[in-house]
Amino acid sequence: MARPKSEEKRARLLSAATEVFAKNGLTASTASITSAAGMAEGTLFIYFKGKDELINELYAELKQELGEAMLRDYPGKESIQSRFKHVWDRLIDWGMENPDKLSTVHKIKVYEGLRPEVRDSLHAKFGEVHALWQTAQKEGIFQDVPHEFVMAVLSAQAETAIVFMKQDPKGAATYKEKGFEMFWSGITRKK
């Protein structure tokens, strides 16, 4: 009879994969991941069918964590701009606190092996953000562009702000604020 899988070991493998992928990219070997986790090389295959499954599960877990961070204490009754600012601030904070995780998310989101069902299942986890975008569209606040484009612009501008915040910690608050102002003025309709 096979031993039950340890959730702690699985978590260690995912954590090690995050670090290894952030530093070495998705071409890093499974041996480098198990080594970073302090485990025997074959252990990874007890928990994941292969590297592709590891990458897909890691992406789902990291995006789940990011989604929870972005929606923590979400001000659902405030203005659309205030709610987007909340999402922006939480995204920036999570990225600053978790640079390896953010780097790995960005690498995996363009991975050709990312399964559509993994990508699609994550849309439900960001339901509040999708609903916010729909409300902004219905009220004529946003320019007529697809939701995916808005989220890609938000992500790219947040990543740029994070880079500058790390390079210039004294100006971090300014980059965070100005980054959002630039996002907001770029996506909203001019009146």
Side-chain angles (χ1 to χ4, degrees):
M1 175 184 254
R3 275 191 288 167
K5 294 178 183 176
S6 160
E7 190 54 40
E8 187 267 331
K9 282 186 179 180
R10 182 181 180 281
R12 276 184 27 218
L13 285 166
L14 290 172
S15 179
T18 300
E19 293 173 25
V20 170
F21 291 152
K23 290 179 180 78
N24 303 317
L26 299 180
T27 59
S29 69
T30 56
S32 66
I33 295 167
T34 53
S35 176
M39 296 178 189
E41 191 170 335
T43 306
L44 185 135
F45 300 103
I46 295 170
Y47 292 87
F48 307 97
K49 291 178 184 169
K51 188 173 171 185
D52 182 65
E53 182 177 293
L54 167 71
I55 291 170
N56 276 273
E57 288 192 30
L58 177 60
Y59 186 72
E61 291 215 5
L62 292 175
K63 288 292 279 192
Q64 172 73 30
E65 182 181 326
L66 173 58
E68 289 171 2
M70 288 168 57
L71 296 173
R72 190 171 299 118
D73 303 322
Y74 184 72
K77 302 292 182 197
E78 292 187 18
S79 71
I80 290 173
Q81 183 174 359
S82 294
R83 287 182 274 167
F84 261 101
K85 178 70 166 67
H86 175 90
V87 168
W88 169 272
D89 285 345
R90 293 302 189 274
L91 171 58
I92 296 281
D93 294 346
W94 187 84
M96 289 294 289
E97 293 167 10
N98 302 286
D100 285 352
K101 290 179 180 181
L102 183 64
S103 174
T104 299
V105 163
H106 286 299
K107 288 174 177 149
I108 297 174
K109 75 180 176 185
V110 295
Y111 172 58
E112 288 183 9
L114 187 58
R115 293 189 307 262
E117 62 270 18
V118 171
R119 193 182 309 267
D120 293 345
S121 74
L122 294 169
H123 286 290
K125 293 178 169 95
F126 287 85
E128 195 71 42
V129 177
H130 295 297
L132 177 58
W133 172 81
Q134 288 176 329
T135 301
Q137 283 289 77
K138 286 177 188 169
E139 292 183 14
I141 295 170
F142 283 172
Q143 297 182 40
D144 189 22
V145 293
H147 175 263
E148 293 78 15
F149 179 75
V150 173
M151 297 315 294
V153 169
L154 177 77
S155 178
Q157 286 195 234
E159 187 175 347
T160 301
I162 289 168
V163 167
F164 279 83
M165 290 168 71
K166 287 178 182 175
Q167 291 174 352
D168 179 16
K170 290 181 183 175
T174 300
Y175 295 124
K176 189 175 185 180
E177 288 302 312
K178 293 298 178 187
F180 179 75
E181 288 175 19
M182 293 170 76
F183 163 75
W184 188 255
S185 66
I187 197 63
T188 54
R189 293 182 186 272
K190 306 300 179 231
K191 294 186 179 184

